[in-house]
Each structure stands twice: as structure tokens, then as C-alpha cells.
Amino acid sequence: MKSLIATTTLTTLLTLNVSAQAVTFGFDNNRGNFGAVGYTISGTGTSFQDADELETATFTVSGGSLSNPFSFTMTADDTASTGDTLEIDGTGLDVDGAGIDTTELITFTFTTDILLTDFDFADIDDSTFAAVTIAGSLQTFGSNGTDSHAVNLALDAGQELVFLYAATDGINYDLQSLSFNVVPEPGAFALIGGIFAFGFVALRRRNLK
């Protein structure tokens, strides 16, 4: 009985550690969730706030409930000009200020698989939309009263998440926050499977005695 309890407890702890890896990036520097609350974001020669005015910025996220650190890159682009940069201010994240407009876009890539859970936009009203390309699939999001949109969309490591202007009823907007769950690496699931198998064998041996 003690073996079973110990095995079950250990397995539960491992499962919680693997699954509880929810992350939110807050881009509005007037909000309490600016950055990634509960985690450490570090970059080479720049802080998260200092991504402002850079064309491309790469950061590593660690700590909190993460089993392993991961990195992400943000890139600003304007199809009509060059030298465009990320803008982080009291409204959110955009390109060169004044929102993501008709020719602008911001691209994210991650070094780990993630499951997107929420987008929070600024300046999207009841009749206008923001466009988001997720691994090549274009989707639009309109206002639902709070500008926060719950989603359940997978993005593999290296695939692109792109925020751009909607072709129909689009408007300049800022990205205020981005929420997602980090998908555990296969090795983590294998470890849990091994623990379960060990517990089953131990219990079976005990019952045979």
C-alpha cells in the first residue's frame, strides 16, 4: 500500500510539473502583466522593454513552472518600406507606433511547440478585425466586448505566428497580450509513462506475495 501511495504521489507531482506551463506575454507597459509574470525573460544585450525600436529581438524565457527554457523571436516588417521597428508602449505592441497598419506585420517564432490560448488586441471595435496567420493559416478576430479572444491553436517550433492588417474591415491595432501553453517535450511524457509502469509492476508484485 505504501508503495502504491508513494508512486501515485510522485506521478501526480510530475504530471502537474509537466502540464502547468501556461505563459502570458503582456506588451502594454502600463499594465501589471507587462512582460511574463512569474517567469524570467532575458535577451542578449537588451531587456524586454528595450525591444522597443528594434527590428528583430530574441529572448529566452525561463523559471516559473517551465520544465525547460525556450526562446522566441519577434520581427517587425513593413512591405512598403525598410528600417521598420517594434514599438512597445502604453497601448501594446505594434510597428513604428500607431498600430499595425495596412502594410505592417509582426512575426513570432518559438523554439518549442506551443498551444495558443488567447489574443488580446487594442482598438478593435464591433465592426473591425485583426488578422492573424498561424502556421500559414489566416484567421480574423473581431471585437467581443473585451478585445480578448480565446483560441485553441497549435504552433510547432519554428512555425510562424504573424499579426497583420485584416483585408476586410481591418483597422490599425496593437497586440496587448499573447497567452499560450508550452507543450511538454516527448521525453517528459516518457518519464511519466515510466513512472506509471514502475508503479504498476510494484503493485503487481506486492499483490502476488
Side-chain angles (χ1 to χ4, degrees), residues 41-128:
I41 300 181
S42 56
T44 303
T46 187
S47 67
F48 191 64
Q49 174 66 68
D50 292 336
D52 188 42
E53 305 301 334
L54 294 178
E55 181 178 355
T56 297
T58 299
F59 296 94
T60 297
V61 182
S62 60
S65 61
L66 292 175
S67 300
N68 296 293
F70 69 89
S71 298
F72 71 98
T73 298
M74 304 184 292
T75 302
D77 193 19
D78 188 329
T79 58
S81 63
T82 59
D84 303 281
T85 62
L86 301 162
E87 180 81 18
I88 296 176
D89 53 30
T91 306
L93 173 67
D94 62 39
V95 181
D96 292 334
I100 297 172
D101 67 24
T102 53
T103 60
E104 296 173 341
L105 52 89
I106 295 176
T107 302
F108 286 78
T109 56
F110 296 80
T111 60
T112 188
D113 297 348
I114 64 172
L115 183 67
L116 299 161
T117 57
D118 188 86
F119 304 132
D120 190 0
F121 304 110
D123 303 321
I124 300 296
D125 61 29
D126 292 336
S127 59
T128 56

Side-chain angles (χ1 to χ4, degrees), residues 3-20 188 191-196 199:
S3 297
L4 176 59
I5 293 173
T7 301
T8 302
T9 301
L10 180 57
T11 302
T12 301
L13 291 173
L14 284 168
T15 302
L16 290 172
N17 185 55
V18 168
S19 62
L191 175 61
I192 291 178
I195 294 294
F196 272 115

